[in-house]
Amino acid sequence: MTPSPAALHAAVAEVLATLQTAFHSALHDTLTHLTAAATSTTSTTTTTPRHPLRRASPWSTPTLLDHLLTSPLQHTASLLYRHVLLPLRGPRPFRPPRHRAPIRVVCLSDTHGILPAHVPPGDVLVHCGDLSRDGSRDEIQRQVDWMRGLEGFAGGKVLVGGNHDAWLDPRVRGDGEGEVDFTGVEYLCDRMVQLRFEGGRRLNVYGWGTVPWCGEGFAYQYPREKHPWAGRIPDETDILVTHTPPAHHCDNGLGCAGLLEEVWRVKPKLHVFGHVHVGHGREAVYFDECQRAYETLMAKPGMGFWYDCMPSRRWLDGLNMLRYGIGSILWKWIMAGPGSNNGGLMVNAAVMYKDSGTLRNPVTVVDL
């Protein structure tokens, strides 16, 4: 009896999974041996051994070997999407209104108790949380006082808490008295504020610092599988301020899928966040079929090098990303013309460089 195509596919997948497990085991043994040898010859101190070719934690930048062992297809698709398809659609996902002065939004996050040496001038200042490192009231107050003292920013100064800002979350604050004085600064915790500017322009800013679970003792956490975002963000939101990134955008694989779906529903012009230091940067979003295909591919669990070599639904998602992306580029430049983009922007504004303890990432400026 001839086996069915589904049975053959399952058999091949099982063989590839077995080969991949054996490959990972052999690689693990080799790297462990190399690490032990390097540790014994270069240091006599007690350290935590780690593989020199693998990242230290999920919060670190993945190495090439990490990408190969997780999903080279997803890594290739991410490079094509972020460095080819999006740039070819133009340098700006939107343009400020004509005949009206743009509103300059200055964005930063994850200062962790350090006061930035320089903040560019602007109309609105946004801080996306993790003002402190130890979570104390005094450290948070010092950051708020610094924000209040910055000159300019006539439109307002806005902040949300982060998972390190334990004092702001009564559930993890512990014993202690006193409150943080937010005079002159809008502290947003699941609420919206409307900012008004000269010339009659207005911006609705919604903010909340809640994050997916990342460990005991941190603030504003929720179980990743039970996110609180569905229907939460007001429809009229222009600027969304969160601490956590949405999934698959400047998030190093640590963003929230529930938040991403809510962002698709609301489609804010600007979404600013932080939390994942190595994700610092900006990314245009158009909420179209190309973006959906990219996110669908990236949402699939990494199955490794050998599985990616086998034709699967992943290949179709990648091809759809390319097909829709090329179509959007041709439409933009042939039919719509320059300056026709009408998308949004996502910004990871973390100024802390990795986990170095220094503020080396630049402050981000966006004109709306």
Side-chain angles (χ1 to χ4, degrees):
M1 180 179 178
T2 303
S4 66
L8 287 173
H9 187 278
V12 172
E14 183 176 355
V15 171
L16 289 176
T18 302
L19 290 173
Q20 179 171 302
T21 301
F23 174 72
H24 282 190
S25 177
L27 182 62
H28 180 274
D29 292 342
T30 302
L31 291 175
T32 300
H33 175 74
L34 291 173
T35 302
T39 302
S40 63
T41 57
T42 62
S43 176
T44 59
T45 60
T46 302
T47 59
T48 302
R50 71 178 184 88
H51 300 319
L53 300 180
R54 303 294 302 274
R55 62 178 174 173
S57 78
W59 302 90
S60 304
T61 305
T63 67
L64 179 59
L65 183 58
D66 288 321
H67 289 303
L68 288 175
L69 295 179
T70 303
S71 177
L73 176 61
Q74 289 176 330
H75 179 53
T76 302
S78 178
L79 293 176
L80 287 173
Y81 181 77
R82 293 183 292 112
H83 299 293
V84 178
L85 297 179
L86 289 180
L88 286 177
R89 296 183 72 163
R92 298 179 181 178
F94 54 79
R95 291 182 180 273
R98 293 183 179 181
H99 312 301
R100 305 182 76 175
I103 298 173
R104 175 153 292 187
V105 184
V106 179
C107 312
L108 70 161
S109 182
D110 296 82
T111 47
H112 289 288
I114 304 174
L115 302 181
H118 172 69
V119 175
D123 302 300
V124 180
L125 178 66
V126 175
H127 196 305
C128 303
D130 273 3
L131 298 92
S132 65
R133 179 172 291 276
D134 62 15
S136 68
R137 174 188 174 276
D138 290 344
E139 199 168 60
I140 296 171
Q141 187 66 67
R142 181 168 175 258
Q143 291 271 316
V144 173
D145 293 343
W146 167 78
M147 289 183 64
R148 182 189 302 116
L150 290 174
E151 297 182 355
F153 304 105
K157 300 168 183 176
V158 175
L159 69 83
V160 299
N163 58 293
H164 279 270
D165 303 323
W167 188 268
L168 300 180
D169 186 348
R171 297 174 300 176
V172 297
R173 176 187 296 180
D175 297 331
E177 296 181 357
E179 298 295 334
V180 175
D181 178 12
F182 289 108
T183 302
V185 178
E186 289 284 355
Y187 168 54
L188 301 183
C189 186
D190 191 20
R191 70 182 183 93
M192 188 173 71
V193 62
Q194 185 176 84
L195 305 180
R196 303 187 181 193
F197 304 87
E198 291 185 7
R201 290 192 67 185
R202 301 180 183 184
L203 288 177
N204 295 317
V205 184
Y206 171 86
W208 195 18
T210 189
V211 299
W213 177 266
C214 54
E216 291 288 346
F218 289 111
Y220 303 113
Q221 297 188 97
Y222 57 85
R224 187 173 288 274
E225 67 278 5
K226 296 181 181 180
H227 70 84
W229 292 108
R232 172 83 61 170
I233 302 171
D235 295 344
E236 61 271 24
T237 299
D238 300 305
I239 301 177
L240 172 61
V241 184
T242 62
H243 186 59
T244 182
H248 319 309
H249 298 276
C250 302
D251 73 324
N252 204 40
L254 297 168
C256 177
L259 174 58
L260 177 64
E261 287 304 307
E262 181 71 350
V263 170
W264 266 84
R265 184 185 69 82
V266 178
K267 299 179 177 61
K269 187 61 68 176
L270 175 63
H271 181 189
V272 196
F273 46 86
H275 192 41
V276 182
H277 303 169
V278 298
H280 176 270
R282 62 175 74 198
E283 188 173 301
V285 286
Y286 295 98
F287 303 107
D288 57 7
E289 294 297 333
C290 176
Q291 180 179 329
R292 182 64 85 182
Y294 167 72
E295 292 166 352
T296 300
L297 172 59
M298 300 304 292
K300 289 180 167 58
M303 300 295 289
F305 177 84
W306 297 111
Y307 191 89
D308 278 358
C309 292
M310 183 173 60
S312 66
R313 177 72 191 187
R314 297 165 182 262
W315 286 25
L316 183 59
D317 293 330
L319 291 174
N320 281 336
M321 182 194 78
L322 288 174
R323 176 167 67 96
Y324 289 125
I326 292 172
S328 299
I329 293 167
L330 293 176
W331 172 264
K332 185 263 169 66
W333 291 107
I334 296 177
M335 303 297 293
S340 59
N341 286 339
N342 188 27
L345 187 66
M346 290 186 177
V347 172
N348 184 324
V351 292
M352 177 67 68
Y353 178 73
K354 298 183 177 180
D355 289 323
S356 65
T358 58
L359 306 185
R360 291 163 53 188
N361 291 335
V363 176
T364 305
V365 176
V366 179
D367 287 334
L368 290 180

